Amino acid sequence: MYKYALTYSLIFLLTACSFDSLSEDAAGHYKVESPLQVDILLPEPVLLHEPQFLNVILVQNGKPVNGLDDVQFTVWKNGSPDSNEVMMANRDGRGQYYVEKTFIEEGLYYVKVQASSNGSTIMPTKQFIVGELSEKDLLELQKGHQAPKQSHENHH
């Protein structure tokens, strides 16, 4: 009986050591994800009938991400998700991308930025106000509604 207990103990000890060294090796074989981070910067206040710059700063691995060709801004007014405007961003070479937009109507708006780098894609959305809000927009804002789904008809 003692002989079997000793044999099983040795097998258990060797197996535990094998799994421990296997798990250390296996962790090094997986790709470590480095997510793309974004900060959407808007003028405050966003003025009506004047050119406004909508900016985004993209960072990955703690460094600014430059040279992306597919950074898009999509802007739409609350209650009009099918009338969105998709704009390709300009870049300043320091990880900051921007578009220029002139708003001709007051209201509650949304901007969504779509960017991809090294297999990481982000699509954050930010809500903002242009001019004065209507009662409907105020109610929407007080309810804390998330950005409504928008139409994808204008995507290429």
Side-chain angles (χ1 to χ4, degrees):
M1 185 70 164
Y2 176 75
K3 185 175 170 184
Y4 292 117
L6 181 61
T7 303
Y8 287 124
S9 296
L10 284 174
I11 290 172
F12 176 74
L13 182 62
L14 290 174
T15 305
C17 289
S18 302
F19 282 128
D20 188 43
S21 64
L22 178 64
S23 65
E24 288 176 14
D25 292 342
H29 294 292
Y30 288 100
K31 179 182 174 185
V32 177
E33 190 70 30
S34 178
L36 190 60
Q37 297 173 329
V38 63
D39 190 13
I40 299 173
L41 306 172
L42 302 174
E44 289 191 32
V46 178
L47 301 174
L48 194 62
H49 302 294
E50 292 184 26
Q52 303 291 294
F53 288 97
L54 313 178
N55 298 286
V56 63
I57 297 174
L58 298 171
V59 176
Q60 194 168 35
N61 292 326
K63 297 178 183 173
V65 178
N66 294 305
L68 297 181
D69 293 327
D70 60 348
V71 178
Q72 292 181 355
F73 285 67
T74 304
V75 177
W76 71 97
K77 188 176 180 187
N78 183 45
S80 305
D82 292 334
S83 63
N84 60 31
E85 182 178 359
V86 179
M87 298 171 278
M88 295 304 295
N90 300 301
R91 58 182 167 199
D92 74 348
R94 296 175 290 159
Q96 187 165 330
Y97 298 80
Y98 64 94
V99 293
E100 183 178 343
K101 167 112 177 107
T102 301
F103 294 93
I104 57 171
E105 291 183 49
E106 294 181 317
L108 184 61
Y109 283 84
Y110 297 93
V111 59
K112 180 175 83 176
V113 176
Q114 182 174 342
S116 299
S117 175
N118 296 329
S120 176
T121 300
I122 55 170
M123 295 186 290
T125 301
K126 188 171 187 173
Q127 185 181 57
F128 63 99
I129 298 169
V130 177
E132 300 290 324
L133 292 179
S134 67
E135 286 188 33
K136 179 184 172 193
D137 286 340
L138 272 173
L139 287 173
E140 190 88 18
L141 195 59
Q142 290 171 349
K143 290 179 188 174
H145 273 221
Q146 298 293 320
K149 300 253 182 210
Q150 64 182 42
S151 171
H152 296 281
E153 293 175 3
N154 293 339
H155 290 268
H156 302 282

